[in-house]
Amino acid sequence: MDTRNSSTSSSEREWRGFTGTLISVLVAVTGALYLFVLVIDPYDTVPFSPDIERVPVDGIQRLFHPMLAKRAAFDSAVIGNSNIRLLEPEQLNGILGGSFANLGMNAASSWEQLQMFRLFRRHHQEIGTVIFGLDYLWCVAGWADQNFVGSVAATDFPEWMFDDSPWNDLPPLNLPVLAHAWRQMLAGAGLSEYEPGLDGYTVFTKPMAEYDLDKARMEIYGATEPKQKIRVDPPVRMSAPERAELPYPALDRLDSMLSELDPETRKIVLFVPYHRYFQATPGSREEIVWDECKSRVVALASAHENAYVLDFMIESDITTADENYWDVKHYTVPIAELLGSLIGKAVVEGGTDPRFVLLYPE
Amino acid sequence: MLFNSPEFIALFLPITLLGFYLLGRFTDARLFWLLAASAVFYGYWDVRFLPLLAGSILFNWLLAECLPRYSRRVLIVVGVSANLLLIGVFKYFNFFAENIYALAGRSFDAYDLVLPLGISFFTFQQISYLVDRRRGRAPAYPLLRYALYVMFFPQLIAGPIVRHDEIIPQYQTSPLRPAIFQLFSQGVALFCVGLLKKTLIADRLAITATPLFEAAAEGTTLTLAESWVASASYSMQLYFDFSGYSDMAIGLGMMFGLRIPFNFDAPYVATSIREFWRRWHISLSRFLRDYLYVPMGGSRKGRPRLIMALMGTMLLGGLWHGAGWTFVLWGALHGAALVVNHLWTASGRSLSRGPAWVVTLLFLLPCWVIFRADSLDTAFSILGSMIGMHGFSMALPISYNWGFSVLAFVLAVLGPTSQALALSLLRPRRIWAAAIALLLIYLTLNLAGDGYTEFLYFQF
C-alpha cells in the first residue's frame, strides 16, 4: 500500500472522528442542559415537568412572581411596584381576609402591572381582594405611556410567561436560566441560601439596625439638613377645560383592571405615601396634575362595586417624618405595617385617620 | 442577524448547514439553498433592502454579460459609475451636500437615509468583477453563482472582500468529500476563536473605550492617562472585534467547504506602516492596491506619481470607511505615512525592529482616535490630551481594569493568530473537539443570557 495514501486516509479518519465528537458533544451537552432546565423548570412554566414545589430563587420579580400569580393557594393580590412591595400578605390576610400574594415588581410600568394582574386574573375564578398601588407611573404622561420602565426593554420583560399562548411556555436556554435551574434544584434539596418570599413578600430594604438618618436625608433632600418646599406664588391656575385635556394614558389600564374584576371582588386603589418633599409642590402645575389624576381615579372607581380609593400621598405624620423613609419613594418596614393596619381601618372598619384620605366612597 | 446572536448560532446556522449537506450531491440545488439562506440572513435586518441588493446583482451581472461584446469604454464607465452612484446616494449624499451648502454659507437638513448593510462591501466586490471582466481576466458566470458570490452570507455584510476567482470556482466542488471533515472542524474552531475574540475581549474593551470617547464627544476633557487608555483600548477593541468577525466569516465559509481568504495577520506586530497594511484588513488593502493604487500609476511611474497614487488611494480608502472628515483625515495621515515609509526605504536608511515597532504603534494609536471620534473637534481634544496639552493628570476611571487591557495587548502582539490556532496548531484529537464544542456552547449560552452587540465594521 502507498504509505502516503495510508497516511492521508489515517488523517482523514482522525478528522472524521474529530467532527463526529464535535457534533456529538454539541448536540448531547446542549440537549442535556435543556433537559435539565425542562425537568427542574425554574419558573414553573413547563406543562410536563415533574410536579414538585418551585419557589422564587432570585429577586427578579418579573421572572419569579408569575409562578405565584398562577397559584390557586392565593385568592387576593397586591399589584404595583417597589412602593407597595413591603405590604406583608400575612398581615393583609388577617386584616382583610383571604390569602394574599404580593405581586409587586420593582419599577414596573403600568403596562407591566397590567400583565401581572391579567395573569393572576386568568388563573383565579373567584378573587377576594386586589390592592393596586398607584404612583407617578400612573399619573405622569410620558412615563405612563411606556410599556417598559424597570425592565428597560422588551427583551428584559418575559412576555412569554404572561401571555395566553401555550406554545411559548418553555424557558429559553441561556446562562441565567441555567443558573436559576441550578438554584431551584438546590432549593428543592434544601441546600439554597436564598430565602424566598413564598407569597411574594421579601424585605428588600436594609435591616432597620443599619438605618442612618443622615444618609436617608441625603437621599431625600440631597443634604443632611431637611429642606422645605417653597409654595408657588401666585399659584398656577388651570381652567376646567384645560384640566379635562390633561392626558392620563395609564388610567385606561387601571380601568381595564377594575372592569375585569367581578363586582364581589374588593378593589382597593391606593396612592402610595411618597415623602412630602417628593410630592407636588403646593401651588404648582404638578399639584393640579396630581389632583386631576386622583379625581379621575375616583371617577373610575365609582363605576365599580366594592371599590375604594385611599390617598396616602398627602401631608401627614407618615410623609413628613424623614425617619420613616430610606429615600423619597421607599418607606420603612414599620411604616409598611402601619399602612396595612390603616388600610384595614379604612376598608373594614370604615374609620377615618389623618394619615389618609378616603377619596371613595366618600 | 448577527453571527454572535443565539438565533444565528442555534437556529439559522444548523438549519442552513443541514440543508446544504442534504443537498450536497446536487450542485445547483445546494447553491440555491445557500442563496436563499443568504437572502433570509440579509432580509432579517430589513427586508426593504433585499430588492436593492437583488437589483444591484442583476444589473452588474447583465452588464458583465454585455461587456465583452462592446470594445468601447463607455459600458465599464457606466457600470462603475452606477455602482459608485448607489453607494454615493446612500453613504455620501448627506456628507457632500452638507459641505457644499456650508461652502455657500447655508445650512442643509440631512435626509434620513438608512444605509443598507454591507453596501460598501458588496459594491466593491461587484466593481472588481466588472473591471476584471473588462480587462478580460474574468469569465462569465451563471447568474446563480454570481449572485451567491455577492450574497454568500458569511462575507456579505462586512467582508472579507472576496475576488470572484477565489470563490466561484469552489462552488463546483462537492462538499461531500473526505477532506470536508478537516475543513468543517477547523471552520468551527475558527468560528469559536472569532466569537471568543468578539464577546470576551472586544466587548469588554468597549466598556472602557466607549464611555471615554462619548465623554469627550460631550465636551469633557480627558486626562492624559484617560486619553491614552481610550486610544489603546479602542485600538485593541477594533482589532479584536473586526478580526473576530473575519474569523467567524472565514470559519463559516469553511463549514460549507469554501475557503475565504484571511483578513488579518497580527497587524500590531508590524514594524512599519507598509507592513501594517499587509496585515490589517488584508482584503481591503488588496482591493485598494489592485483597483486604485495600480491604476493610478503605482510605483512604476516615478516618485511624484507614487506619492499621488498613495495619497489618492488612502484618501479614498479613508472615505470608504464613512462619510466624514475624520475618515478623510485618517486616510490622509495613513497615505502620508506610507509616502514617508517609501521615501525612507528608498533612501536606504533603516531602523532596528524594536524602535520601528514603537514608532509604528505611536503612529497608529492617535490615528485610531481620529478614526473613532465622532468629529474632528473631539479627535483634536483627545489628541491634545495625549500630548499633555490639557495637563499631565494620570487619573483614570475607577472601574478601569489594567490587567485585562495588558492581557489583550499581549494577546494582540504576542499571541498566535486565529489561523495559527485553528489551522496549524489544532490537531485532530477528540479531546480538542469536545473542548471546542463546550466552548461554543458556553459562548452561545452567555450571549443568549447577556445579549450581544453589533460588530464595529457593520457601520462602514
Side-chain angles (χ1 to χ4, degrees):
Chain A
M1 184 189 277
D2 184 340
T3 51
R4 200 171 134 219
N5 282 345
S6 164
S7 146
T8 306
S9 63
S10 159
S11 168
E12 277 170 11
R13 267 201 308 277
E14 285 179 327
W15 281 110
R16 184 188 289 259
F18 186 100
T19 309
T21 305
L22 183 70
I23 294 173
S24 305
V25 173
L26 269 177
V27 172
V29 173
T30 307
L33 289 175
Y34 200 45
L35 188 64
F36 171 69
V37 167
L38 293 181
V39 169
I40 298 297
D41 188 11
Y43 312 116
D44 205 4
T45 56
V46 182
F48 48 80
S49 64
D51 188 17
I52 49 176
E53 191 191 4
R54 280 136 186 117
V55 296
V57 291
D58 199 337
I60 307 172
Q61 299 92 36
R62 285 167 180 78
L63 290 174
F64 289 101
H65 280 184
M67 70 168 71
L68 303 179
K70 292 188 281 188
R71 293 220 168 129
F74 304 112
D75 70 353
S76 300
V78 177
I79 301 288
N81 54 39
S82 62
N83 299 312
I84 205 85
R85 277 189 56 211
L86 288 180
L87 286 188
E88 189 176 8
E90 268 189 37
Q91 184 196 14
L92 297 174
N93 295 346
I95 295 171
L96 298 169
S99 178
F100 271 85
N102 190 322
L103 302 177
M105 298 175 279
N106 287 350
S109 65
S110 55
W111 183 87
E112 289 174 301
Q113 292 178 43
L114 175 66
Q115 308 316 305
M116 184 63 85
F117 166 82
R118 284 189 168 152
L119 185 67
F120 179 75
R121 179 75 195 92
R122 278 203 304 277
H123 286 84
H124 295 87
Q125 291 297 315
E126 292 181 6
I127 297 176
T129 304
V130 179
I131 298 176
F132 301 95
L134 304 194
D135 63 357
Y136 75 101
L137 291 167
W138 292 86
C139 291
V140 179
W143 287 106
D145 298 331
Q146 297 186 11
N147 280 1
F148 307 103
V149 179
S151 51
V152 180
T155 47
D156 297 330
F157 184 80
E159 281 187 78
W160 62 274
M161 285 191 186
F162 292 83
D163 64 19
D164 273 334
S165 170
W167 298 102
N168 61 1
D169 287 345
L170 304 187
L173 181 61
N174 57 44
L175 287 187
V177 172
L178 273 173
H180 288 150
W182 177 254
R183 287 194 207 174
Q184 194 67 258
M185 189 185 72
L186 291 180
L191 300 171
S192 175
E193 290 180 2
Y194 184 79
E195 288 185 20
L198 296 175
D199 51 13
Y201 175 73
T202 45
V203 177
F204 62 88
T205 55
K206 289 180 186 172
M208 284 309 288
E210 293 179 29
Y211 185 82
D212 181 334
L213 185 58
D214 282 346
K215 275 190 183 172
R217 283 186 170 148
M218 281 301 291
E219 291 285 341
I220 295 167
Y221 304 108
T224 51
E225 290 302 316
K227 295 178 184 173
Q228 292 297 318
K229 280 223 157 184
I230 301 167
R231 169 179 287 277
V232 175
D233 193 25
V236 175
R237 306 229 177 261
M238 201 179 278
S239 65
E242 284 173 325
R243 284 177 72 124
E245 288 291 310
L246 288 172
Y248 297 96
L251 293 187
D252 291 341
R253 291 170 185 154
L254 178 65
D255 191 28
S256 300
M257 290 195 279
L258 294 174
S259 303
E260 289 167 25
L261 288 170
D262 296 332
E264 297 77 29
T265 301
R266 190 193 277 144
K267 309 154 189 86
I268 304 173
V269 183
L270 59 90
F271 286 93
V272 297
Y274 277 165
H275 187 282
R276 182 70 189 107
Y277 193 70
F278 193 59
Q279 293 178 28
T281 306
S284 66
R285 182 183 184 279
E286 189 191 5
E287 188 180 46
I288 300 172
V289 170
W290 276 99
D291 284 350
E292 179 63 20
C293 184
K294 289 173 182 177
S295 302
R296 302 257 185 114
V297 170
V298 167
L300 290 180
S302 63
H304 301 280
E305 290 181 48
N306 263 321
Y308 301 83
V309 182
L310 272 167
D311 188 7
F312 289 98
M313 203 178 292
I314 57 171
E315 186 166 350
S316 72
D317 290 351
I318 294 176
T319 61
T320 52
D322 298 341
E323 54 274 20
N324 290 341
Y325 288 85
W326 291 92
D327 57 46
V328 288
K329 294 180 194 168
H330 298 107
Y331 42 82
T332 59
V333 170
I335 293 303
E337 288 167 8
L338 177 61
L339 285 183
S341 59
L342 289 174
I343 291 169
K345 189 171 185 181
V347 174
V348 180
E349 301 168 18
T352 59
D353 192 286
R355 289 168 290 193
F356 67 79
V357 176
L358 184 63
L359 295 175
Y360 182 83
E362 290 179 64
Chain B
M1 208 180 304
L2 295 166
F3 293 166
N4 57 335
S5 63
E7 58 265 33
F8 177 85
I9 299 171
L11 276 178
F12 178 86
L13 184 58
I15 291 170
T16 307
L17 278 169
L18 193 66
F20 180 77
Y21 282 101
L22 285 175
L23 297 169
R25 288 180 191 283
F26 314 102
T27 306
D28 282 348
R30 72 168 183 266
L31 296 182
F32 185 78
W33 171 258
L34 267 189
L35 186 69
S38 299
V40 170
F41 176 82
Y42 193 71
Y44 189 81
W45 267 293
D46 195 331
V47 78
R48 289 174 304 170
F49 292 135
L50 258 181
L52 180 85
L53 178 60
S56 166
I57 289 169
L58 198 59
F59 170 80
N60 283 292
W61 181 77
L62 285 171
L63 204 67
E65 287 287 301
C66 299
L67 268 174
R69 293 175 213 161
Y70 296 89
S71 55
R72 292 186 178 174
R73 288 167 59 105
V74 62
L75 216 52
I76 184 70
V77 171
V78 166
V80 173
S81 303
N83 279 291
L84 292 178
L85 185 68
L86 182 72
I87 196 172
V89 166
F90 283 102
K91 195 164 177 177
Y92 300 108
F93 179 79
N94 281 333
F95 174 67
F96 284 116
E98 269 173 25
N99 284 287
I100 290 167
Y101 269 62
L103 281 175
R106 295 167 59 192
S107 65
F108 172 76
D109 290 332
Y111 288 100
D112 187 18
L113 292 171
V114 180
L115 187 68
L117 268 172
I119 191 168
S120 308
F121 291 89
F122 68 69
T123 307
F124 266 33
Q125 281 202 180
Q126 300 200 88
I127 289 176
S128 75
Y129 175 60
L130 286 182
V131 172
D132 281 4
R133 188 96 175 107
R134 165 72 188 172
R135 289 171 178 170
R137 294 178 193 162
Y141 296 112
L143 179 58
L144 173 61
R145 291 171 195 226
Y146 177 74
L148 186 58
Y149 157 61
V150 180
M151 283 184 64
F152 185 41
F153 70 87
Q155 38 88 195
L156 170 61
I157 306 299
I161 300 169
V162 185
R163 291 167 61 124
H164 56 90
D165 53 356
E166 288 172 328
I167 191 99
I168 298 182
Q170 296 185 59
Y171 293 160
Q172 193 59 37
T173 313
S174 168
L176 305 178
R177 56 188 192 270
I180 195 65
F181 294 105
Q182 181 174 357
L183 201 57
F184 179 89
S185 300
Q186 290 176 332
V188 175
L190 195 56
F191 183 85
C192 266
V193 172
L195 190 58
L196 188 144
K197 282 161 80 173
K198 165 67 177 162
T199 56
L200 298 189
I201 305 178
D203 286 351
R204 283 193 65 181
L205 288 165
I207 294 170
T208 299
T210 305
L212 289 171
F213 274 94
E214 283 178 353
E218 286 165 10
T220 303
T221 303
L222 301 188
T223 65
L224 178 73
E226 283 175 339
S227 60
W228 279 96
V229 163
S231 166
S233 299
Y234 180 68
S235 303
M236 294 299 137
Q237 181 202 349
L238 185 63
Y239 166 63
F240 282 108
D241 190 284
F242 191 27
S243 71
Y245 171 84
S246 298
D247 293 339
M248 293 168 84
I250 296 161
L252 286 167
M254 290 166 75
M255 289 183 215
F256 291 95
L258 301 168
R259 288 187 185 276
I260 295 172
F262 283 99
N263 220 11
F264 287 85
D265 184 16
Y268 289 134
V269 304
T271 54
S272 73
I273 199 67
R274 284 173 74 183
E275 188 187 355
F276 173 78
W277 279 106
R278 284 196 292 269
R279 292 171 175 275
W280 177 274
H281 203 174
I282 298 167
S283 64
L284 177 69
S285 306
R286 209 178 43 165
F287 181 92
L288 295 174
R289 182 194 66 202
D290 294 347
Y291 298 99
L292 282 175
Y293 175 68
V294 172
M296 283 183 193
S299 58
R300 295 183 180 176
K301 295 190 176 176
R303 192 163 284 172
R305 195 68 181 267
L306 167 80
I307 294 171
M308 192 203 78
L310 280 172
M311 290 304 296
T313 301
M314 294 314 291
L315 274 171
L316 289 170
L319 202 55
W320 175 84
H321 284 88
W325 288 110
T326 50
F327 294 114
V328 175
L329 178 60
W330 176 81
L333 286 171
H334 272 275
L338 284 169
V339 169
V340 170
N341 199 164
H342 269 279
L343 297 178
W344 174 273
T345 309
S347 71
R349 279 179 266 189
S350 67
L351 206 59
S352 57
R353 286 189 64 80
W357 176 70
V358 172
V359 168
T360 306
L361 216 53
L362 286 177
F363 170 76
L364 290 171
L365 261 57
C367 281
W368 286 133
V369 169
I370 297 166
F371 187 86
R372 167 64 174 83
D374 68 328
S375 69
L376 286 177
D377 286 344
T378 305
F380 292 146
S381 168
I382 300 174
L383 293 176
S385 296
M386 288 176 80
I387 56 172
M389 282 175 63
H390 306 129
F392 295 91
S393 167
M394 297 305 286
L396 276 170
I398 297 167
S399 58
Y400 180 60
N401 187 339
W402 271 105
F404 185 75
S405 295
V406 171
L407 179 70
F409 183 76
V410 169
L411 273 176
V413 176
L414 299 178
T417 59
S418 307
Q419 46 268 42
L421 262 179
L423 273 58
S424 312
L425 298 174
L426 183 66
R427 304 261 69 89
R429 304 280 175 265
R430 287 174 189 262
I431 185 78
W432 283 112
I436 290 168
L438 292 177
L439 177 66
L440 184 57
I441 290 170
Y442 168 77
L443 292 171
T444 309
L445 295 183
N446 186 37
L447 288 167
D450 283 358
Y452 45 92
T453 57
E454 272 201 358
F455 292 94
L456 293 176
Y457 255 67
F458 279 25
Q459 61 191 295
F460 302 134

